[in-house]
Structures are given as structure tokens and as C-alpha cells.
Amino acid sequence: MLQPFPFHSNLRDHFKSQGKTWNWFSEEKVKDEQRETYKTDLLKNSYRIDPETEPKVYEILTVAKDKLGIIIPVTMYQSQTIEANNAGIVFFENEAHIILSGTILKLLDDAELLALLGHELSHILLYTMENGDFEITNRIINTIANDNNSELFYYETARLFQLYTELFCDLGALKVCESLEMTINTLVKLNTGLEKVSAESYLKQANEILDRINEGSSGETHPENFIRAKSLELYQTDKLNYYSQIEKIISGKTDLHQLNLFSKQAVFDVTKELIAIILKPKWTQSDYCIALYKQYFKNFDKKSDVFIDEAFKLKIANSKKNLKDYYAYVMLDFALCDPDLKDGFVGHILDISEQLELEDSLKTILKKELNLTEKTFKSYCQTCTTTLNSILESSQENTY
């Protein structure tokens, strides 16, 4: 039984916790006139493929429906306006329409067409799971993301929801086709137009790409083909670790400029923990520093049990350079806010940055913000370290 991705379930749970929003979208249905308008436009711009004229196509469609447990009627069309090889599905409550474009029916053999139809029908499978929760979730996040007044992290959340949806449907194609080779062949044929391809060769290519880069997917509606192929291979070979591995491949390292609903909260939490580590020593808790803390967070939450462990280091390490620079700026913000503590505090954050492997970011920012040359930077760091050591050796430390 195919399962939604954790991202699907987490986003569903988030919106379900917002009762009014969830209830409104649950009750909002496609109106009859909207459905009829769509069907009229479809008839005007495509050729309807009938079972009588293309019985083999509908036989393959029936096999795919049976394997996925889809019982609603599905009608197929060939687009008259789009030349690229593609397929899409529109799903209403009690009916669905699959639209083919390009030369798909000539390009794919029966097994590959089965995989393609399995992919498209898996959209219905996902959106009818758990009383239609994921179809409702999809409408909510896309409505918010398409509002010009919404913050960008909603757009990124909608994008990721769509990428995971396509990966789910790829798994549906694999389930229906029962062949990794045929499923990947279908994927590559559709995107290249080649009549003969090798799934084995493309998987080698995909692995080579992933060995070279770790940027995550930049796809707007679909993950890149090499990611989709790797996803299928991982599902076939390592189901136990599949979801965690795919999340790393899709998201890459956390990007400050591309946060989603969940990574935004994660950065918030890491920032709060980092500041708690910075202000753990008693001597750092001056009036200036406490006032600055309250500009970040409402109430000063003094924590004496925070420390830099491997889990926290991993959160920092899993950050792109722009996010590491942000954490370095947060440290410098506190180091410079109290002129009486400045040198000792800079020594303090230099020590923290070394533990978190943020030395490069902090060094660059310190030199820039304090107008230091390479020579004066080294001298200044020595002064700051000496000042910090004198604090640690004095009664000021009485620390935590």
C-alpha cells in the first residue's frame, strides 16, 4: 500500500489544526457549472479517445485502475494544442479525465503506457486517501501561495507539496508497472522523445549527478528527472530509509532564501537555541544583551542546560552558506551590542564559531563589519581571546 510522504501528512496536520480554514475548504466543492465549462473546453481543444476506437488503450487503463483500486470512470483525450510529450489528469468528485499530448501513444509500448497511466491515476489515489485530506490540503496551500499578499515560504511549501506529489505518483507507476526499468524508460522517453533508452544507463547518470551536487530540487512542479529516477531506485532497494533519503535529495541543505513552513520554524528554533548558548555565561547577560534578546524573542528565557552537542552541530552543518552567514551575524549582533563587553564577547563568539564550524563565515563578517585587514584581524582576534581568557579566569565567570 502506497503511503503519502511525511511532508504531505505534516502539512495536512498543520492545516487540520486550523479548524475554520480546514472546515471551509472541506465544504467547498467544484460547482456543476465549473465542471461543465471545463469539459466543454476540453472537447473544443482535444480529441476524445473512445474505447470503441482504441480498445487496447482502455484495456491498459483498466489494468492500471484495478491495481490502484480506482473505481470512478476515466475518459482519455489527445490534446490538439500542445505538441510536447506530456500527460495530465483532472479529477472531479466522481469522474476523471486524462489528457495526452505529443506522440505518447506512438512513443510508448504497452508496459510503458501502463506506467504512465499508473502515474496519472495515482493523483486520484492520493487525493482520495484518508477521506480526501490531501486534496483539501493541496487546495489550501495553493490558494494561500497564489495570494500576492502571502509570504514566500507559503509558495515554497506549495512547491514542495507538488514535488512530493509527483514522486508519490511515480511510485504508483512503479506499483502498476511492476518494473523499475519500464518506469524509468517511460520517464526518460517522455522527456527526450527518444524511442530507445536504457534505464540502467540513466540511473548511472543520475547517480553521477547526485555525487557532484547537493543542491536539492529546483523544479517548479516536478523534480528533475534524475531525482525521480533515483527516487524509484531507492524505493526499490532501500524502503527502510527511503523517506529520509529522499527528503535530503529534494530539500538539500537549508536555504535562508527558500524556507518553507517547516524549515522556517526549524531556523527559528535553531536561532533561539544559538542565542541561549551565546548568553549562557552569566557575564554575557548584561542589560544591553537582554534588551537585544527581547528584540529577537518576546521574553528572556535563560537556559543553563543548553550546550553544543552533535545534534545541534548537525543542524548548523545542514545549512547553506547564506544561512551560516545569518547565524554568524546573530552572534556578532550580540558581541557588539554592549561596548563594555565587546572584545571579550568577540572572543566568546570566536570560540562558539569554531565549535560549530562557522569560523569562515564569522571571519568574513568580522573583517567586513569592523573594517579589518587580514593582518589587523589576526591581531584583533588575539586581543579578544586574551580578554576572554581574563574574564574566564576572574570572578566574573561565576558562570552558568
Side-chain angles (χ1 to χ4, degrees), residues 50-62 110 113 117:
D50 290 325
E52 294 78 14
T53 56
E54 293 287 351
K56 186 64 175 178
V57 172
Y58 275 87
E59 285 175 19
I60 296 171
L61 176 63
T62 300
D110 290 354
L113 182 59
L117 296 178

Side-chain angles (χ1 to χ4, degrees), residues 357-394:
E357 298 183 1
L358 290 173
E359 311 101 302
D360 291 342
S361 291
L362 186 60
K363 174 182 176 180
T364 301
I365 289 167
L366 271 172
K367 289 169 67 176
K368 174 186 174 183
E369 299 299 327
L370 300 182
N371 295 316
L372 299 171
T373 64
E374 187 66 33
K375 183 177 180 180
T376 56
F377 173 76
K378 290 181 180 179
S379 175
Y380 180 65
C381 287
Q382 290 175 354
T383 299
C384 293
T385 300
T386 300
T387 304
L388 174 64
N389 289 336
S390 68
I391 293 173
L392 297 178
E393 293 168 1
S394 71

